[in-house]
Amino acid sequence: FKQKTAYEISLGLVGSEMCIRDRIRSKALTNNTLTMLIKRIRSIQPDAPDCPPDWRSSLGQILVAIDTDTGLTGYGVGGGGLASIHIIESVLQPLLVGQNAENIESLWNLMYRATLPFGRKGLAIMAISGIDLALWDLRGKKAELPVARLLGGSTDHPIPTYSTLFSPEVLPRLQQGQRSFKIHVNSFSDTLDQKQLIDQVTTVRNTIGPDCDLMFDAFMSWDLPTTLQMIESFEPLNLLWLEEPLPCDDLDGYEQLSRQSVIPIAGGEHEYTSSGFSDLVNRRLHTILQPDVCWCGGLTELIKIYRMGTASGIRVCPHRGAEPGPRRDRGHGDGPTRGGRKAGGVRRRPVHG
């Protein structure tokens, strides 16, 4: 790993962050400018006829726009609703106006330190995520390159997707060509007992057949004994993973699950920053890490989480999807979107490596 880290191998990178900056700096010289000063930061909670009442759950998503003295505007999506907008307007915007938007990593550290007394996780990091993504958007626009290419990747290959089911009706999406599905614990009813829930998941498996991927998201709603019982019942259904069965802070419970579960355990959607993920990686609590780029601290932190995970042989499957304006009759949920479907899923393959 001295010459090329597992992180760089997995993303196709051929250089370090310094090399990325050099490419951008070279492009900037061509454009006869080296700096891009932040003039204003705007943040709103968009509304549209197709949006859920809060534009996704947990206080709703926000849209961040950063205007610069070059005339370029960068856009990013964060979380935390009106509370995050307050953090941006009262703390982060005064901190960043007049700063060079090119210095993304330094600005992230500045924001993180400014919000330490009330941050570290949750709302403050969701607000930082939106700003960070807008800064990366500016970096790509300044270089006239997609951000994926700035990271050494490409934009000319399809991304596998999966659909999260918020109702038991799976046949229409199957007929549309979708081949990977994730069932949310509240897809059917929040009053189902364990047997009824297992019966419903079995029905979905029988409908999609053995060749389609099937996952289950318990959304932090079980305790350890319940989870172990459900794993035993789910085993014949060949789940690709079981997502967030325990509360995120039950690290000891996840450690026991990691030793006992025959189904891969996924999690990290509700974890924040590379520092927060370090326990998950060092203790190998999850088989699949699911950092949410709009919540975990933005792309700056997602890159660090990828580096940690892949270098440790842990698969990383980012959680995100269908912004802006998802509709309940479309596939949405995890991963970047394509044609209304999630791009977080992958075809069946070994989970590690």
Side-chain angles (χ1 to χ4, degrees):
F1 292 104
K2 289 184 178 179
Q3 296 301 317
K4 188 182 290 188
T5 66
Y7 160 71
E8 291 171 327
I9 293 170
S10 68
L11 292 184
L13 294 179
V14 293
S16 65
E17 291 179 2
M18 186 176 296
C19 293
I20 295 172
R21 293 194 195 99
D22 288 343
R23 290 185 221 168
I24 298 166
R25 191 171 291 113
S26 175
K27 190 72 177 181
L29 284 169
T30 303
N31 294 336
N32 296 317
T33 179
L34 284 172
T35 60
M36 184 165 48
L37 300 182
I38 296 172
K39 290 179 58 180
R40 180 175 60 159
I41 300 176
R42 295 170 286 146
S43 52
I44 60 170
Q45 193 164 24
D47 190 18
D50 286 345
C51 289
D54 63 356
W55 194 38
R56 212 165 183 267
S57 59
S58 301
L59 299 179
Q61 303 300 91
I62 63 171
L63 178 66
V64 177
I66 299 180
D67 302 318
T68 68
D69 65 343
T70 65
L72 293 177
T73 297
Y75 297 94
V77 173
L82 296 178
S84 282
I85 290 174
H86 174 70
I87 292 172
I88 290 171
E89 292 178 346
S90 62
V91 178
L92 300 181
Q93 177 174 239
L95 191 70
L96 297 184
V97 167
Q99 298 278 356
N100 184 359
E102 304 263 16
N103 300 329
I104 299 178
E105 293 79 8
S106 297
L107 295 181
W108 195 97
N109 290 328
L110 196 64
M111 291 187 288
Y112 183 73
R113 288 180 178 275
T115 57
L116 271 177
F118 58 89
R120 298 179 60 249
K121 295 180 185 285
L123 292 172
I125 303 301
M126 289 180 172
I128 290 173
S129 299
I131 291 178
D132 182 78
L133 289 170
L135 290 170
W136 275 97
D137 187 38
L138 282 169
R139 178 175 280 184
K141 287 176 177 176
K142 180 71 173 295
E144 298 180 6
L145 290 171
V147 172
R149 289 183 59 192
L150 290 180
L151 295 175
S154 65
T155 58
D156 58 358
H157 62 276
I159 301 174
T161 67
Y162 68 85
S163 288
T164 295
L165 302 177
F166 282 92
S167 79
E169 187 54 60
V170 66
L171 195 57
R173 297 186 193 180
L174 193 64
Q175 292 171 338
Q176 292 168 1
Q178 189 67 36
R179 290 297 178 266
S180 296
F181 304 91
K182 186 174 75 177
I183 300 172
H184 194 278
V185 69
N186 295 326
S187 296
F188 311 113
S189 169
D190 56 8
T191 61
L192 292 181
D193 61 28
Q194 291 184 32
K195 183 181 183 306
Q196 291 172 318
L197 182 59
I198 293 163
D199 288 344
Q200 293 279 16
V201 176
T202 301
T203 298
V204 173
R205 168 53 83 192
N206 291 338
T207 301
I208 66 177
D211 296 327
C212 289
D213 291 333
L214 183 63
M215 297 79 84
F216 189 89
D217 183 356
F219 202 66
M220 307 171 288
S221 58
W222 298 338
D223 57 18
L224 181 59
T226 301
T227 301
L228 292 172
Q229 292 172 12
M230 296 300 291
I231 286 171
E232 184 178 354
S233 300
F234 280 154
E235 184 176 359
L237 301 179
N238 193 25
L239 295 185
L240 193 60
W241 71 62
L242 175 62
E243 183 172 328
E244 284 194 325
L246 305 177
C248 331
D249 291 331
D250 187 2
L251 301 187
D252 291 339
Y254 275 113
E255 187 167 40
Q256 187 169 338
L257 268 185
S258 69
R259 296 194 302 264
Q260 294 184 239
S261 178
V262 295
I263 299 174
I265 301 298
E269 169 190 349
H270 297 102
E271 188 54 85
Y272 301 89
T273 76
S274 56
S275 177
F277 274 84
S278 62
D279 271 344
L280 304 183
V281 172
N282 294 336
R283 296 174 65 175
R284 305 192 71 84
L285 302 184
H286 297 324
T287 309
I288 301 103
L289 296 176
Q290 296 178 298
D292 189 306
V293 73
C294 299
W295 294 348
C296 74
L299 186 58
T300 298
E301 288 299 282
L302 183 62
I303 290 171
K304 298 175 186 177
I305 295 164
Y306 258 114
R307 181 182 293 119
M308 288 192 305
T310 56
S312 299
I314 300 174
R315 182 170 149 200
V316 182
C317 183
H319 176 278
R320 180 53 21 187
E323 272 91 26
R327 283 204 334 225
R328 291 286 170 155
D329 59 346
R330 295 178 183 166
H332 64 93
D334 308 297
T337 60
R338 180 186 64 187
R341 298 181 191 165
K342 302 181 291 181
V346 293
R347 306 310 303 169
R348 188 171 300 283
R349 62 185 180 188
V351 173
H352 285 290

